[in-house]
Amino acid sequence: MKTPLIALAGALLMTAVPAISQDIIVSAEEAAAVERISRELDRNLVAADWSRNRSAGEGIAMVRFQRGADGRPVNVKIYRRSGSGSVDRLARRAVNRLGLSVPLPAIGGDGQLFQANIIVASSDAEFANLSTTLGKLEKARLADPRERAVFAFSASPREAG
């Protein structure tokens, strides 16, 4: 079985919507924090040893959460299901493991909502297809001004395992 590609793709860095049209201002400190969170989530996804699960599936899982007082994710929920229970479980598990080694940084105010957009694909072509789909989903989501306050993050695609 070919190893699936697992990646995070977020509204700030990997969508088809230009950042300026989103009315989002990100400080250098916040950008560095998002990069660190993205790397940690990427490691969590790879550590799940996805390649052992033959019924892994493919899809885009959108997971929302807030930062608890202890720097760990709280209120972790699937915002948009991938269509694969395996992908959704992987995404939720990876988000729940954030902040284990180093607490999540305090970005935004109390109650700040975060979103991890996680793509799982079995080929580069499917990853490109899902990335295009995610771009359209994020563009539609960000058309709602209330959604612009959601802090999303991103990382480069990488092969698991």
Side-chain angles (χ1 to χ4, degrees):
M1 178 174 113
K2 186 168 180 169
T3 309
L5 295 169
I6 301 173
L8 304 172
L12 296 177
L13 302 175
M14 282 188 67
T15 65
V17 183
I20 10 183
S21 72
Q22 298 175 27
D23 298 325
I24 297 172
I25 299 171
V26 180
S27 70
E29 181 180 306
E30 289 171 330
V34 167
E35 178 65 25
R36 187 181 65 71
I37 295 168
S38 296
R39 282 193 312 269
E40 183 179 356
L41 189 54
D42 189 42
R43 282 190 302 271
N44 291 348
L45 289 165
V46 172
D49 199 10
W50 189 257
S51 61
R52 287 189 186 183
N53 186 350
R54 294 195 180 274
S55 62
E58 296 179 320
I60 303 165
M62 296 179 172
V63 182
R64 288 198 170 176
F65 64 97
Q66 294 169 305
R67 179 188 183 276
D70 63 354
R72 300 286 319 280
V74 295
N75 303 321
V76 178
K77 296 181 174 107
I78 298 289
Y79 171 69
R80 181 187 178 277
R81 297 191 182 285
S82 68
S84 165
S86 296
V87 171
D88 294 343
R89 280 187 299 278
L90 170 77
R92 198 157 181 217
R93 189 177 324 125
V95 168
N96 275 315
R97 293 183 52 81
L98 287 171
L100 283 175
S101 56
V102 177
L104 292 170
I107 298 173
D110 288 339
Q112 174 64 53
L113 192 58
F114 295 89
Q115 179 172 310
N117 297 328
I118 299 170
I119 296 174
V120 177
S122 60
S123 69
D124 290 334
E126 185 58 20
F127 178 79
N129 181 41
L130 291 171
S131 293
T132 299
T133 300
L134 177 60
K136 291 174 184 174
L137 290 169
E138 283 295 289
K139 184 176 182 178
R141 184 182 68 79
L142 289 169
D144 180 346
R146 295 170 297 183
E147 287 293 315
R148 294 180 182 182
V150 176
F151 211 99
F153 37 102
S154 132
S156 300
R158 104 166 27 177
E159 287 193 25

